[in-house]
């Protein structure tokens, strides 16, 4: 294999900060794909022509997105599988069986690998349970979030991703609820059998979207002690407001000073979950240069962008990472 294991790579290059790609779903939307759909950015992959017609427009758009993130300096990129859980796919597309679902995931992962080549790291992206009910920005998991069977929800995607050698790292992204976090952290190496990270969905006020504090999050992790799954490589934040992201990273670092972190905020715009559009919010107060410096000082090992960040943002992140890390 052209790539080292990401775990060994991060351990043996302690000064290295990897540049991640940007917001894929929103970038596809910018390029003309209508993702206002129950499976969101999975939508181009559902059509047969994406796979049968090499010149399909959507195929060129997805390829173009990967090319532009690579040209901007991304060294680790994601599969566009945020809302590709078996539940979302089987309830909203013609794909109904686990066999058909596995074919879809295998195709998407192989296509993504082909787009980025063998040298770059590839992350298998998994959105939170709340993605299928649009609860990733309010953390509202109903009356009994502790009773949700998170494992069964994730299992088909996990089973597929954990056996696919094209994937170097698995992402549990935009996790807004502490019960879901607790569930993921309870799964040992027999379930999460290769490197993974957890990206938390944190409000501008610094609380997990369900109202839990970063102290609660840290206490949860500390309570697991040395029983923590050794495949948990990083904890961090994604799709949080750009303006607040450095403060949030610093608060996590303060609570968990030895935890390697990951940060990829959104643009600061706010998602309207009904109309599935992004609404203006605060304008960026800082530059990427300023926030990347603070992320690195807070222990970030992977930095990129989430929704509404583009290849131009990644270019700025690349420049700042060069400036402030010992790459
Ligand atoms: C990260 S959000 C923009 C993903 C889309 C959302 N779960 C939806 O279904 O509209
Ligand atoms: N990895 C996903 C995150 C959505 S919050 C994307 O970039 O579209
Ligand atoms: Zn996002």
């Amino acid at each position: 294999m052209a790539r080292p294991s990401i775990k060994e790579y991060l351990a043996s290059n302690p000064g290295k900060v990897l540049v991640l790609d940007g917001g894929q779903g929103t970038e596809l939307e910018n390029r003309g794909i209508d993702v206002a759909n129950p499976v969101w950015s999975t939508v181009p992959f559902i059509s047969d022509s994406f796979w049968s017609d090499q010149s399909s427009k959507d195929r060129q758009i997805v390829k173009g997105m990967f090319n532009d993130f690579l040209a901007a300096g991304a060294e680790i990129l994601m599969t566009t599988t945020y809302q590709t859980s078996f539940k979302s796919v089987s309830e909203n597309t013609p794909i109904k069986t686990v066999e058909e679902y596995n074919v879809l995931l295998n195709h998407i992962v192989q296509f993504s690998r082909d787009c980025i080549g063998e040298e770059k790291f590839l992350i298998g992206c998994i959105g939170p349970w709340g993605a299928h009910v649009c609860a990733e920005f309010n953390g509202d998991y109903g009356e009994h979030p502790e009773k949700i069977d998170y494992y069964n929800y994730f299992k088909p995607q996990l089973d597929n991703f954990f056996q696919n050698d094209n994937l170097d790292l698995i992402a549990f992204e935009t996790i807004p609820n502490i019960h879901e976090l607790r569930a993921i952290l309870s799964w040992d190496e027999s379930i999460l059998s290769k490197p993974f990270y957890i990206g938390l969905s944190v409000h501008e006020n610094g609380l997990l979207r369900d109202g839990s504090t970063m102290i609660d999050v840290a206490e949860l992790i500390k309570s697991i002690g040395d029983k923590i799954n050794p495949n948990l490589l990083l904890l961090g934040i994604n799709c949080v407001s750009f303006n607040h992201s450095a403060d949030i990273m610093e608060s996590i670092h303060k609570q968990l000073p030895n935890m390697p972190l990951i940060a990829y905020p959104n643009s600061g715009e706010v998602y309207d979950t009904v109309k599935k559009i992004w609404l203006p919010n605060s304008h960026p107060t800082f530059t990427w240069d300023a926030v990347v410096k603070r992320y690195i000082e807070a222990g970030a090992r992977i930095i990129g962008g989430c929704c509404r960040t583009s290849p131009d943002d990644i270019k700025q992140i690349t420049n700042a990472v060069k400036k402030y890390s010992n790459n």
Side-chain angles (χ1 to χ4, degrees), residues 20-28 40-41 65 69 78-83 125-128 131 136-137 171 173-174 197 201 238-240 264 266 278 305-309:
L20 177 69
D21 57 7
Q24 296 187 330
T26 53
E27 189 58 24
L28 295 182
W40 200 52
S41 58
M65 173 194 75
F69 282 135
M78 287 197 182
T79 58
T80 309
T81 47
Y82 177 83
Q83 217 141 299
C125 166
I126 302 181
E136 60 270 77
F137 297 124
E173 294 193 307
T174 336
Y197 74 81
S201 175
N238 78 282
C239 225
V240 310
Y264 52 113
N266 62 33
W278 291 85
C306 204
C307 295
R308 304 282 287 169
T309 65

Side-chain angles (χ1 to χ4, degrees), residues 51 208 288 306 316:
W51 306 110
L208 198 65
W288 277 112
C306 204
Q316 294 177 52

